[in-house]
Amino acid sequence: MDSLEFARNGRELRGELAVAEMPRLQDKLFGPDGKIGFCIRGYQDKSGEPMLEVAMDGSCQLVCQRCLGGFAYPVQLVSRLLLVHEGEPDELSAEEDGPDSIPADKHLDVFAMLEEELLLSLPFAPMHPPGVCQLAARDLSQPENGAFAVLAGLKDK
Ligand SMILES: [Zn+2]
């Protein structure tokens, strides 16, 4: 899509992505289940700069970095992206700065942009919520009933 035209005319695009169809996401995933609904809205900010608002809502299966089990991670994000004109001196550095600006592109790859936003929103080390993770639950239990007791028991045998 032409991102500048999209922003200037206040267009809106809605759809749904299957998690399984996002190749760059796969090594973070526990399983391919999950769908992400998205809505991209074009607008101009107060100073007339072309912007995209990207909202995503759904869930995917991530790998818990503590116990290596899978869990459903709720995806709920809203990003606002400034479209930076080609040829502007700061274009490259602005891109390095993160998700706040993307180059204005007459042929923006919407799919790649959504995947990128989703990747950026995921935690670096995803984990089960507190109290749900098997390992965390063990850590929180009283020492005499927990891992230490098990170890002590093994030593005695
Ligand atoms: Zn866990």
Side-chain angles (χ1 to χ4, degrees):
M1 81 188 193
D2 181 338
S3 54
L4 274 181
E5 186 271 343
F6 191 91
R8 291 202 170 118
N9 292 312
R11 290 180 193 275
E12 207 172 284
L13 178 70
R14 286 169 187 275
E16 196 174 62
L17 294 170
V19 168
E21 288 168 9
M22 293 188 253
R24 291 169 61 206
L25 204 62
Q26 298 307 309
D27 59 348
K28 294 211 164 223
L29 293 181
F30 184 74
D33 298 334
K35 287 198 161 152
I36 315 278
F38 68 86
C39 175
I40 306 171
R41 195 171 63 83
Y43 66 104
Q44 297 184 35
D45 73 1
K46 281 176 194 146
S47 48
E49 298 289 348
M51 305 281 295
L52 295 181
E53 183 184 82
V54 179
M56 297 171 88
D57 190 358
S59 75
C60 59
Q61 300 284 323
L62 295 184
V63 180
C64 171
Q65 295 303 303
R66 200 185 275 137
C67 70
L68 299 183
F71 68 104
Y73 178 80
V75 173
Q76 217 158 28
L77 73 94
V78 178
S79 308
R80 292 183 182 84
L81 303 169
L82 169 66
L83 298 174
V84 182
H85 298 279
E86 258 179 80
E88 271 182 2
D90 284 330
E91 190 196 336
L92 280 179
S93 59
E95 204 176 344
E96 290 294 317
D97 281 346
D100 294 330
S101 69
I102 57 171
D105 192 338
K106 271 200 187 323
H107 306 285
L108 176 66
D109 185 339
V110 173
F111 185 80
M113 177 187 73
L114 290 169
E115 190 176 22
E116 176 77 14
E117 287 305 307
L118 181 55
L119 276 170
L120 287 170
S121 80
L122 294 179
F124 178 70
M127 277 184 233
H128 281 113
V132 178
C133 186
Q134 296 291 321
L135 289 183
R138 217 177 294 160
D139 288 344
L140 290 172
S141 64
Q142 293 175 350
E144 57 265 34
N145 299 328
F148 290 115
V150 173
L151 281 176
L154 288 175
K155 245 186 221 168
D156 289 344
K157 282 176 189 166

